[in-house]
Amino acid sequence: MNVKLFVPQDAAAVALDADAVAEAFARTAARRGIAIEIVRTGSRGMHWLEPLAEVATEAGRVGYGPMTVSDVDGVLDAIADGKPHPLCIGVVDAHPFMARQQRLTFARCGIVDPASLDDYVAHGGYRGLARALVLGPQAIVAAVTESGLRGRGGAGFPTGIKWDTVAKAGDGQKYIVCNADEGDSGTFADRMIMEGDPFVLIEGMTIAGIAVGATMGYIYVRSEYPHAIRALDTAVAAARRGRKLGAGIDGSSHAFHIEVRVGAGAYVCGEETALLDSLEGKRGTVRAKPPLPAHKGLFGRPTVINNVLSLASVPGILEKGAEFYRDFGIGRSRGTMPIQLAGNVRHAGLFEVGFGLTLGELVDDIGGGTASGRPVRAVQVGGPLGAYFPRALFDTPFDYEAFAARDGLIGHGGIVVFDDSVDMAHQARFAMEFCAVESCGKCTPCRVGAIRGVEVMDRIIADNRRTANVELLKDLCDTMKFGSLCALGGFTPYPVLSALAHFPEDFGLPPSRRQAAE
Amino acid sequence: MSGYLAWNEATARAVIDENRAAPGALLPILHALQETFGYVDRAAEPLIADALNLSRADVHGVVTFYADFRTAPPAAHELKLCRAEACQSMGGDRLADTARRRLGIGFGEATPDGRVRLEPVYCLGLCSVAPSAMLDGRIVGRLDDRKLEALLAEVER
Ligand SMILES: Cc1cc2nc3c(=O)[nH]c(=O)nc-3n(C[C@H](O)[C@H](O)[C@H](O)COP(=O)(O)O)c2cc1C
Ligand code: SF4
Ligand code: FES
């Protein structure tokens, strides 16, 4: 018999020994005389089942997970005889976690061979570029604007408007820069796309280049992602060979080149102007705005800088139309968001869905509560600069404005779940400590304020003049909020003040009124 | 983590030459030097400054700004433990304490015998399989006492 098997090469699977499982399949099949083809894919996003091996059947791909090397023999038996196996989860697409999603950006992730341009095209890749070449620059920008796509890196700025500014910034050299610095704890969607479907990012950048008249693109990827870097290098080389990059793309008069650049372990380089400085070979310090990167960006030239997910959403928008994308979501949050369920959560992984599910639905229903089995006490949404939410706010819909209205942010879409063993004063201290470690040092409220913040938190934790120090903490947060040049210093107060507001008992203060009323 | 060349100027010059043409070549050059020698020797800074038409102070400022660049030869092993929030939520702090205690060093330090250096990292993108670690570039998810013990045994061998 002929077996076609898919084993993820996504870092989350590799960190759980997926490479050893893939090797064991190859070795065991050879020993047993079973003809097997093993494709290394990205991950489907059900990370509690990783490594999840899938076998092609007439009914679709059937999954087995979480696999260990010692399960390989038994699973091969099950595949060969069509017998049930305790690790079998049935047809993967029919799994409730998959069936409830609206996968647009992640449609191919975990399915295609990320190293194969042919496989990408066979699964509908490069239809967006084909459409873009027919439409021309102006209509591409119009489609992206009409889709309602907002930057997925955190700030939520409308992508079409950014592109329009660069398109109108005169002639001459322009750049497309992909922000793949993904430094937020609790986020890994950029990494998954780069490892699981890198061509969709390349296609998105190429379309951006045509739209604004840029012929050069850079992907700035963090050094903590060696697997993503390798996948990108492979895909960029394949795209070049396939004439999807270079001069005369797809027989058109357009040229577009991509170079992959690696960061060097600085969180602040995710901030767009610090990233541009870093690409130029400088220290990653934040630039004052204006000028905007759209006017004076990389090497002083007009530059589109977008997050991985923003760019990876573009091919689908071009292929299926602006309306198709805009019809997902609620309010001013249009389209879908790849939400990342992380930390102490049972069903951890990636869940892409239109905006609008409540935080409670995401954490309790889809996430299945904590991994530890203890009650959920707090969740941090939007990375290290995002607020901590208590259960009392679980009715908040996942939407840019709804989170802002509750002094929070959705950021890059990461949700980190904590059980009732968490100490929120400790978390507030960590937020300050992280800011102190990662500050670029340009402004005093951030550079000095964060260090003071750690000291103040230490005194609060040690019960040293608690009430006075809590007042001092609030003052300090105020100074950081309004006196910082960028969101590192400016938003660190979010996790700190939300921890204080919702979990005052952890700071040695009386419980909040909301909790008392519960 | 052997396999690094001993610092020498001729090789350094060749590495710099190979990477200098690209716009904004400084970070690619520093990465390439570190891949070759395991660190960026102070003596490389004037060579880079010359090649890129920068001041030595500029180059030094960049080398010291980024956490990745080492200014001295590395320990035989480098163990990175993620200290960020998702890993904290799964008991990462307790494992970090264990590692510190077992190795008798703090984060950012190496054992006196040069066997291992313990480094903090703020997120490896493995937050769904937390806590996470990286030993000499190899990633480990769902770190627990048993897995940490195996990593420590590996570096102490
Ligand atoms: C401290 C800091 C870190 C950031 N890190 C990232 C990051 O890792 N990835 C990202 O896409 N945006 C990050 N941003 C947001 C970028 O500055 C910028 O808004 C984004 O790259 C724009 O792309 P988008 O419109 O597609 O979101 C960060 C911002 C700040 C202040
Ligand atoms: S807020 Fe902090 S990170 Fe941002 S520019 Fe100021 S010092 Fe730099
Ligand atoms: S927080 Fe530890 S891997 Fe992301």
Side-chain angles (χ1 to χ4, degrees):
Chain A
M1 75 177 277
N2 264 325
V3 176
K4 186 162 184 181
L5 198 72
F6 304 87
V7 182
Q9 195 164 242
D10 181 278
V14 170
L16 300 173
D17 277 343
D19 289 348
V21 168
E23 278 162 33
F25 267 117
R27 209 172 43 237
T28 312
R31 175 167 51 76
R32 292 171 51 172
I34 300 171
I36 195 169
E37 182 196 347
I38 300 175
V39 181
R40 300 302 299 271
T41 59
S43 167
R44 296 281 198 146
M46 297 192 283
H47 291 162
W48 74 98
L49 293 174
E50 293 292 2
L52 177 66
E54 299 179 29
V55 60
T57 75
E58 268 163 33
R61 293 188 191 173
V62 171
Y64 297 84
M67 291 282 309
T68 63
V69 168
S70 56
D71 298 316
V72 165
D73 245 314
V75 166
L76 272 177
D77 286 339
I79 293 170
D81 317 334
K83 287 218 184 98
H85 189 280
L87 293 183
C88 184
I89 63 157
V91 174
V92 176
D93 285 329
H95 190 284
F97 190 87
M98 299 303 298
R100 284 182 78 173
Q101 298 189 48
Q102 290 156 333
R103 286 210 163 192
L104 306 185
T105 309
F106 277 74
R108 273 176 296 259
C109 188
I111 295 171
V112 287
D113 177 352
S116 165
L117 176 62
D118 290 343
D119 205 33
Y120 180 65
V121 172
H123 284 84
Y126 279 113
R127 284 189 200 150
L129 177 66
R131 182 88 190 108
L133 287 169
V134 173
L135 287 175
Q138 271 184 342
I140 299 173
V141 174
V144 173
T145 306
E146 281 158 26
S147 75
L149 176 67
R150 294 166 69 174
R152 301 291 186 234
F157 187 81
T159 304
I161 294 179
K162 189 182 278 188
W163 289 20
D164 191 50
T165 309
V166 177
K168 289 180 176 149
D171 299 328
Q173 182 77 64
K174 298 174 184 175
Y175 296 101
I176 308 296
V177 173
C178 171
N179 187 340
D181 201 50
E182 195 166 60
D184 289 357
S185 166
T187 67
F188 43 83
D190 295 350
R191 180 184 64 64
M192 282 181 66
I193 275 289
M194 292 187 281
E195 292 172 5
D197 193 14
F199 291 104
V200 80
L201 173 59
I202 294 170
E203 184 181 353
M205 289 179 72
T206 308
I207 294 170
I210 293 168
V212 306
T215 53
M216 184 69 208
Y218 289 95
I219 304 176
Y220 185 92
V221 53
R222 65 201 296 257
S223 61
E224 291 86 348
Y225 282 2
H227 300 78
I229 294 165
R230 240 172 284 145
L232 287 173
D233 283 339
T234 305
V236 166
R240 269 191 210 129
R241 280 196 306 275
R243 303 198 164 265
K244 298 291 186 188
L245 286 175
I249 291 165
D250 264 2
S252 73
S253 60
H254 295 282
F256 194 68
H257 308 270
I258 289 182
E259 201 180 308
V260 178
R261 285 286 178 95
V262 180
Y267 175 76
V268 74
C269 286
E271 195 282 334
E272 55 188 10
T273 61
L275 188 154
L276 295 176
D277 267 15
S278 183
L279 263 180
E280 291 179 9
K282 302 176 189 153
R283 300 160 64 104
T285 40
V286 174
R287 303 178 185 171
K289 284 184 263 191
L292 293 173
H295 292 123
K296 267 176 131 325
L298 188 61
F299 303 115
R301 302 298 310 166
T303 300
V304 166
I305 175 160
N306 272 134
N307 172 253
V308 172
L309 299 181
S310 314
L311 291 161
S313 301
V314 164
I317 290 169
L318 269 291
E319 182 199 341
K320 301 222 167 79
E323 252 172 63
F324 175 83
Y325 191 80
R326 200 183 51 205
D327 282 348
F328 294 90
I330 58 164
R332 287 176 50 216
S333 303
R334 309 311 316 175
T336 59
M337 186 71 194
I339 292 164
Q340 299 128 84
L341 296 167
N344 198 337
V345 62
R346 195 147 79 102
H347 296 156
L350 185 125
F351 192 90
E352 181 178 354
V353 69
F355 288 92
L357 290 187
T358 66
L359 188 53
E361 286 174 296
L362 289 165
V363 173
D364 293 332
D365 302 352
I366 291 155
T370 62
S372 62
R374 302 173 66 101
V376 174
R377 180 147 186 256
V379 297
Q380 186 178 28
V381 184
L385 310 176
Y388 284 99
F389 275 41
R391 290 204 67 96
L393 296 181
F394 271 20
D395 60 342
T396 314
F398 211 82
D399 161 90
Y400 291 101
E401 279 68 37
F403 266 73
R406 288 180 161 180
D407 291 325
L409 48 101
I410 63 172
H412 187 47
I415 300 179
V416 178
V417 180
F418 293 81
D419 72 12
D420 61 353
S421 65
V422 68
D423 175 348
M424 295 306 296
H426 178 87
Q427 297 309 120
R429 184 193 185 280
F430 176 77
M432 285 291 189
E433 185 188 354
F434 182 74
C435 182
V437 170
E438 299 293 348
S439 170
C440 85
K442 187 147 175 171
C443 38
T444 319
C446 168
R447 189 186 63 239
V448 179
I451 295 171
R452 290 284 163 279
V454 175
E455 293 164 3
V456 172
M457 278 312 307
D458 279 338
R459 289 201 292 270
I460 293 172
I461 290 167
D463 198 8
N464 177 352
R465 297 181 56 239
R466 223 166 221 167
T467 323
N469 274 304
V470 166
E471 284 317 304
L472 195 58
L473 183 70
K474 287 183 188 163
D475 276 355
L476 197 58
C477 282
D478 236 35
T479 308
M480 290 174 74
K481 230 179 188 169
F482 299 107
S484 297
L485 185 57
C486 86
L488 182 45
F491 286 13
T492 292
Y494 276 105
V496 175
L497 293 178
S498 58
L500 180 62
H502 303 306
F503 307 94
E505 62 279 19
D506 288 17
F507 294 69
L509 303 174
S512 69
R513 231 176 303 147
R514 177 162 30 229
Q515 278 170 311
E518 258 177 39
Chain B
M1 272 206 292
S2 55
Y4 292 123
L5 296 180
W7 162 258
N8 70 88
E9 196 181 309
T11 309
R13 280 187 192 282
V15 169
I16 294 167
D17 271 350
E18 212 176 296
N19 290 281
R20 67 187 283 183
L26 185 47
L27 260 67
I29 286 177
L30 294 174
H31 276 303
L33 287 171
Q34 183 149 302
E35 266 165 42
T36 310
F37 302 114
Y39 73 109
V40 181
D41 196 284
R42 190 76 200 251
E45 290 176 8
L47 306 181
I48 301 169
D50 264 6
L52 299 183
N53 228 342
L54 297 168
S55 76
R56 288 178 193 197
D58 281 342
V59 176
H60 186 66
V62 171
V63 173
T64 50
F65 178 84
Y66 293 97
D68 277 5
F69 299 126
R70 288 183 286 261
T71 50
H77 297 282
E78 186 178 61
L79 179 61
K80 292 184 177 179
L81 295 183
C82 176
R83 307 302 318 274
E85 290 91 338
C87 288
Q88 293 166 11
S89 78
M90 289 296 279
D93 286 349
R94 195 182 54 77
L95 293 167
D97 285 340
T98 306
R100 259 195 292 234
R101 211 174 38 243
R102 279 277 274 98
L103 296 171
I105 52 172
F107 279 88
E109 294 174 8
T111 52
D113 62 1
R115 295 294 304 156
V116 56
R117 189 178 180 83
L118 187 59
E119 283 288 338
V121 61
Y122 296 98
C123 193
L124 291 167
L126 302 171
C127 333
S128 52
V129 294
S132 69
M134 190 185 250
L135 176 62
D136 303 337
R138 193 177 88 228
I139 49 177
V140 179
R142 286 198 201 120
L143 192 70
D144 54 17
D145 289 316
R146 186 184 54 83
K147 287 189 189 178
L148 179 61
E149 212 37 63
L151 294 179
L152 292 172
E154 198 175 326
V155 299
E156 283 166 351
R157 250 201 315 268

